[in-house]
Amino acid sequence: MNAVLVCQESYACGGSDEAAFECDECGSLQCVRCELELHRQERMRNHDRVRILPGHVPFCDSCKGDGSCSGSGGRLRAVVRCQGCKINLCLDCQKRTHSGVNKRKHPLTPYPPVKAPQENSGDAGESEMEVLKAKLEKACSFLLVDEKEEMQVKDEEDFVSRLGCRPDELLKVVSVFGNTGEGKSHTLNHTFFLGREVFKTSPTQESCTVGVWAAMDPVHWVVVIDTEGLLGAGANQGQRTRLLLKILAISDVVIYRTHADRLHDDLFKFLGDASDAYLKHFSRELKATTNRCGLDVPLSTLGPAVIIFHETVHTKLLGSDKPSESADRLLQERFRKLGLFPEAFSSVQYRGTRTYNPPTDFGCLLRSLEQQLDNNTTRSPRSASVIYKALQALSERFSGEITDEPMTSNSFFPDEYFTCSSICLSCGSGCKRSMNHLKEGANHEAKHRCRYSAQYDNRIYTCKACYEGGKEVIVVPKTTASSDSPWFGLAIYAWSGYVIECPNCAVIYRSRQYWYGNQDPVETVVRTEIQHIWPGSDGFLKDNSNAAQRLLDGVKYISQSVSELSVKPAKAVTSWLTDQIAPTYWKPNSLIMKCHKCAEEFQSNDTKHHCRSCGEGFCDACSSKSRPVPERGWGLAPVRVCDACFHNRGIPTELLDAALEEEGGTLIARKVGEAVQSTLGAVVGAIDIPLGLVKDAARPAYWVPDQDIHSCCECQREFAPRLSIHHCRACGQGVCDDCSQERRSVPSRGWDHPVRVCNSCNQRPGDL
């Protein structure tokens, strides 16, 4: 005989749970859940229930208690159970109802004889019931993440404490999604907590769930998560929507609750877009989180199981009018017609209930949930600390404000919610890496190739010979080769023009090597590449840095020679220096013979001024005014302009915003040049300019000034007056030539190509 008695109420369990009580007044066998929920009602609270123990014989299901069976005034105990009708029958009811031809063949299972009740037989059952009730009474919800995506739990110990579980208990996560007002919180309360208001519900129009709330179900060992409703009104909608996908990523089972009479397209759109975003952004991050956080249990890269719980009142359930096709297959067909493919989810199931009269039957939903929770093939249970670490890692990775500007995509989860928001200042292309990738040392990576911008001069050169040999070495135009002395280098520059020197191939190009027919270096010895310019970076100076590099190369011999020059040669040197570091739109000094406005010719001692807006040459009287010129990349500080450009003050707002971001990077070369130029102009008489003072004006802040360097930091040898002082690009200390022969890239200081370093820094392992 099958001794398992099944619940006959199907009020909370759906008729699948084992019966634990028998209520004579209700006339049914009841499981623990149905007994608790039914007898919480005021009119049924005083019913007498009997705990079902092994060998218990239930009452006859056909007896009405009216004396129709053997003259008895009450219900009789059953003697058999009809396996065909699934009912319990006493002897008289069995003869009366199963004497016909059809039912006579039903298989009957006899019950054992009824035993006399023993004292204290129900004490164990009642105590177990009390323990279960006490557990459910202790369950309460707490705010896990607020609407701004900020974690409201301090650490994993706090998370375990609020759940009320042991740290080593293995749990699964069930979350609910749906539109605002669909009854998500009510569904969780009745499915997991026997109707107790663990999650707040409200009959008002306002949404009662703000942020993400969590609670512990001690019966199923499940972390239950309640989320905000979709399509709700409020600020930070982008961040609220992104938060939903984080919760979906850590869930094992997702309930999508809908109370609509028909399944709308937004349901399929949400699940389809969530699947795409999960595969594109979260599966890889979950795998990386396992390694980064050292989790004992690997996080599944396959998405959760999805149960669509559909409650209707006036319409039929999905598939009820097509018995030949399952509801799950109809769901997949609906996804296909909309061009959506929920490939990230381990399964998508449909569970529906039609409510003619309240309350809603959550039995089918609970049975499906229990089946999914018992299935550990794709997602295994893990401790509460692992769940917390996974959510914390996703929150740190995908965080930051989302602009309220309309997105280019109509997806629920556009890429802008999860990718880096930086945009190249030269071409406008966005970075395709995940948010906060700079914290992990990963540089920006654009979606498209960049285009050249004269404002940022973002063209870099690489040695063609090294490139063909499998290396990529960045080279820059210089005024002198590293082997040339200052005076000899100045003479060579005046005669042969600028040079391009490769660390591996030495000098590979001189701009005026021949009397005529000099080819462009791009056609012969170098390759060009256009580099992206990202906000907040100094990539222009550390990679290309043509103007800044020419200044640093030329200021050495200029400073050594200026004391020996008269006023006229000093003016020539100043003009030459200005042309070397001038923006491309400036008119060269050699072509400026008279003021662009008053047409007065310049004398040998006159100073030529450039308007920062139009780039023409003016005298001092015609260019005495100043104003910000952000459209030319000069930031928000007032600079010299001519009278005509001073009155034209139309500056677009977007240029002002860009200037605020880039003011510290792209103007350094020109500003340093103007500082050196003004210094030269102040000492054109006969003042000897110390070499260190001029060089220090154009050097990084972490370099030790030349005037403070008296000996080599490596060999401690004192520097003679004419002995060259070299700076290590890694530590910034002063070293002699013998102690700084090595070359190595220092990306942390902005030197991506091999540069001079001291012996100590060269021996350090890893990246500098």
Side-chain angles (χ1 to χ4, degrees):
M1 172 183 174
N2 182 14
V4 177
L5 300 177
V6 182
C7 178
Q8 298 174 343
E9 281 293 344
S10 303
Y11 186 75
C13 68
S16 60
D17 288 4
E18 181 180 354
F21 294 91
E22 183 175 21
C23 180
D24 189 26
E25 296 183 57
C26 294
S28 62
L29 302 178
Q30 300 167 4
C31 65
V32 174
R33 294 175 175 275
C34 291
E35 190 275 335
L36 279 174
E37 192 157 351
L38 283 171
H39 293 93
R40 289 174 64 90
Q41 303 178 35
E42 185 68 28
R43 59 186 179 86
M44 304 173 66
R45 185 169 296 174
N46 297 323
H47 284 190
D48 291 330
R49 284 94 73 191
V50 177
R51 179 76 180 188
I52 295 178
L53 299 175
H56 178 82
V57 178
F59 284 105
C60 174
D61 294 332
S62 295
C63 290
K64 305 299 182 181
D66 54 0
S68 59
C69 298
S70 303
S72 174
R75 300 174 65 196
L76 300 178
R77 294 285 176 178
V79 295
V80 295
R81 177 174 177 81
C82 177
Q83 301 294 350
C85 300
K86 302 294 183 182
I87 58 175
N88 303 310
L89 300 170
C90 64
L91 184 60
D92 292 338
C93 291
Q94 186 264 332
K95 292 179 180 179
R96 177 169 52 84
T97 60
H98 282 62
S99 59
V101 178
N102 293 331
K103 292 189 176 182
R104 187 181 299 173
K105 298 180 181 180
H106 285 190
L108 301 176
T109 302
Y111 282 107
V114 180
K115 297 180 181 179
Q118 300 178 359
E119 295 183 1
N120 300 327
S121 60
D123 291 348
E126 292 178 1
S127 62
E128 181 182 349
M129 188 66 188
E130 293 298 328
V131 171
L132 182 60
K133 285 183 177 181
K135 286 184 178 181
L136 293 175
E137 289 292 338
K138 291 180 180 179
C140 61
S141 61
F142 59 92
L143 182 61
L144 181 59
V145 187
D146 64 10
E147 69 275 12
K148 297 181 180 179
E149 300 182 286
E150 296 178 358
M151 297 284 290
Q152 299 299 304
V153 179
K154 298 179 182 178
D155 48 32
E156 49 197 275
E157 288 78 11
D158 188 22
F159 183 62
V160 173
S161 175
R162 294 196 186 191
L163 288 177
C165 63
R166 296 193 308 272
D168 58 343
E169 285 179 340
L170 300 181
L171 310 172
K172 285 194 172 184
V173 180
V174 176
S175 57
V176 65
F177 296 86
N179 293 336
T180 300
E182 294 284 1
K184 299 183 298 298
S185 303
H186 177 80
T187 299
L188 295 180
N189 290 336
H190 283 267
T191 304
F192 293 99
F193 304 104
L194 303 176
R196 287 189 62 246
E197 192 170 344
V198 174
F199 295 104
K200 182 182 177 181
T201 59
S202 173
T204 62
Q205 288 291 329
E206 290 77 15
S207 176
C208 56
T209 303
V210 178
V212 173
W213 294 72
M216 175 71 182
D217 175 13
V219 177
H220 295 91
W221 302 109
V222 168
V223 179
V224 185
I225 295 181
D226 191 14
T227 63
E228 284 191 43
L230 298 169
L231 307 180
N236 305 321
Q237 283 301 315
Q239 292 177 261
R240 293 170 185 243
T241 306
R242 182 173 60 189
L243 176 59
L244 296 181
L245 198 60
K246 297 178 189 177
I247 300 302
L248 182 144
I250 65 169
S251 300
D252 298 287
V253 183
V254 169
I255 305 170
Y256 192 99
R257 176 72 158 95
T258 176
H259 204 283
D261 282 338
R262 293 175 177 83
L263 298 179
H264 299 305
D265 288 348
D266 61 348
L267 181 153
F268 299 93
K269 179 71 173 171
F270 173 84
L271 293 177
D273 292 343
S275 174
D276 293 341
Y278 183 91
L279 291 176
K280 186 181 297 184
H281 304 289
F282 279 79
S283 58
R284 179 177 57 187
E285 183 60 28
L286 287 172
K287 185 181 297 183
T289 301
T290 302
N291 301 328
R292 186 168 59 249
C293 299
L295 302 181
D296 298 332
V297 180
L299 300 175
S300 176
T301 55
L302 185 63
V306 177
I307 299 176
I308 299 176
F309 182 59
H310 184 204
E311 180 182 3
T312 66
V313 177
H314 305 290
T315 57
K316 297 180 180 179
L317 300 177
L318 182 67
S320 60
D321 54 344
K322 296 181 180 179
S324 60
E325 298 187 27
S326 65
D328 295 342
R329 186 179 181 280
L330 294 175
L331 276 182
Q332 296 296 333
E333 184 68 18
R334 183 77 175 272
F335 275 114
R336 188 189 64 80
K337 288 182 178 179
L338 294 174
L340 303 170
F341 304 94
E343 300 172 348
F345 305 124
S346 56
S347 65
V348 179
Q349 297 180 350
Y350 175 86
R351 293 295 178 265
T353 181
R354 189 172 181 180
T355 305
Y356 294 96
N357 295 304
T360 304
D361 180 14
F362 297 101
C364 62
L365 174 61
L366 181 60
R367 288 195 300 272
S368 297
L369 285 170
E370 291 174 341
Q371 292 175 2
Q372 292 294 341
L373 294 174
D374 292 338
N375 182 11
N376 296 328
T377 56
T378 56
R379 300 179 73 93
S380 57
R382 59 260 188 220
S383 63
S385 62
V386 174
I387 297 173
Y388 176 81
K389 287 180 179 178
L391 179 59
Q392 185 183 41
L394 294 178
S395 297
E396 292 176 354
R397 181 65 165 180
F398 303 103
S399 61
E401 295 184 359
I402 300 176
T403 60
D404 295 332
E405 298 177 1
M407 299 295 178
T408 56
S409 172
N410 60 351
S411 171
F412 271 96
F413 304 98
D415 290 342
E416 290 83 352
Y417 287 2
F418 310 100
T419 55
C420 179
S421 59
S422 296
I423 297 177
C424 174
L425 300 174
S426 178
C427 66
S429 178
C431 177
K432 67 179 181 180
R433 291 189 181 273
S434 299
M435 285 184 164
N436 301 315
H437 61 87
L438 294 177
K439 296 180 180 178
E440 300 180 356
N443 295 325
H444 292 291
E445 183 178 352
K447 303 174 184 177
H448 310 288
R449 294 180 63 87
C450 192
R451 65 171 180 266
Y452 177 74
S453 171
Q455 177 182 352
Y456 300 103
D457 196 17
N458 55 332
R459 178 167 49 204
I460 62 174
Y461 299 102
T462 57
C463 177
K464 185 176 293 185
C466 293
Y467 177 79
E468 293 174 353
K471 301 178 182 179
E472 188 172 4
V473 180
I474 298 177
V475 296
V476 291
K478 298 182 178 181
T479 55
T480 63
S482 59
S483 59
D484 296 337
S485 63
W487 271 109
F488 184 64
L490 181 60
I492 291 178
Y493 174 75
W495 180 260
S496 300
Y498 68 88
V499 300
I500 298 179
E501 185 177 14
C502 172
N504 300 326
C505 309
V507 177
I508 59 177
Y509 179 80
R510 290 188 183 273
S511 61
R512 292 196 295 270
Q513 185 173 4
Y514 306 105
W515 286 105
Y516 62 91
N518 291 290
Q519 292 182 308
D520 189 89
V522 177
E523 301 175 357
T524 54
V525 295
V526 297
R527 297 174 63 253
T528 60
E529 183 179 341
I530 308 302
Q531 192 175 48
H532 292 278
I533 304 297
W534 302 104
S537 68
D538 55 348
F540 161 70
L541 285 179
K542 68 184 181 184
D543 287 334
N544 187 13
S545 60
N546 288 338
Q549 188 65 45
R550 291 173 192 170
L551 170 63
L552 294 177
D553 293 337
V555 74
K556 178 180 178 181
Y557 59 79
I558 292 175
S559 59
Q560 288 181 345
S561 307
V562 70
S563 61
E564 304 173 14
L565 298 176
S566 63
V567 175
K568 187 171 183 179
K571 286 290 183 181
V573 172
T574 304
S575 299
W576 167 83
L577 176 61
T578 303
D579 290 339
Q580 296 306 302
I581 60 176
T584 55
Y585 70 94
W586 277 23
K587 190 174 183 179
N589 279 281
S590 58
L591 301 180
I592 300 176
M593 303 301 177
K594 58 184 179 179
C595 176
H596 186 71
K597 180 181 179 183
C598 65
E600 183 178 352
E601 293 186 359
F602 288 108
Q603 302 300 322
S604 58
N605 295 335
D606 292 338
T607 302
K608 302 174 184 178
H609 298 287
H610 283 83
C611 173
R612 272 57 172 173
S613 180
C614 64
E616 294 291 341
F618 296 88
C619 64
D620 187 73
C622 296
S623 59
S624 59
K625 297 179 174 58
S626 61
R627 71 167 177 87
V629 189
E631 65 271 21
R632 290 293 195 178
W634 291 93
L636 300 180
V639 291
R640 182 186 293 270
V641 293
C642 64
D643 295 343
C645 295
F646 176 77
H647 297 291
N648 183 15
R649 293 174 173 267
I651 305 175
T653 305
E654 58 271 14
L655 291 177
L656 290 175
D657 296 337
L660 284 173
E661 297 179 359
E662 292 304 305
E663 186 175 5
T666 59
L667 294 180
I668 293 178
R670 178 59 207 169
K671 288 179 178 179
V672 170
E674 291 191 348
V676 176
Q677 179 185 346
S678 62
T679 303
L680 292 175
V683 296
V684 292
I687 301 176
D688 184 15
I689 300 180
L691 172 61
L693 293 179
V694 181
K695 294 167 68 178
D696 289 340
R699 284 181 167 170
Y702 70 94
W703 282 18
V704 178
D706 281 9
Q707 58 185 356
D708 296 336
I709 299 175
H710 305 290
S711 61
C712 175
C713 68
E714 291 284 328
C715 64
Q716 306 302 321
R717 183 176 61 176
E718 292 187 0
F719 287 109
R722 288 295 179 179
L723 188 62
S724 298
I725 300 176
H726 302 286
H727 281 81
C728 172
R729 269 54 171 176
C731 63
Q733 295 292 329
V735 290
C736 64
D737 187 71
D738 294 336
C739 298
S740 59
Q741 294 292 327
E742 302 297 332
R743 299 292 188 272
R744 187 172 177 183
S745 61
V746 189
S748 63
R749 294 295 196 181
W751 306 90
D752 291 340
H753 55 282
V755 291
R756 183 188 297 268
V757 293
C758 64
N759 295 337
S760 298
C761 292
N762 184 59
Q763 295 174 1
R764 288 166 54 188
D767 294 337
L768 295 178

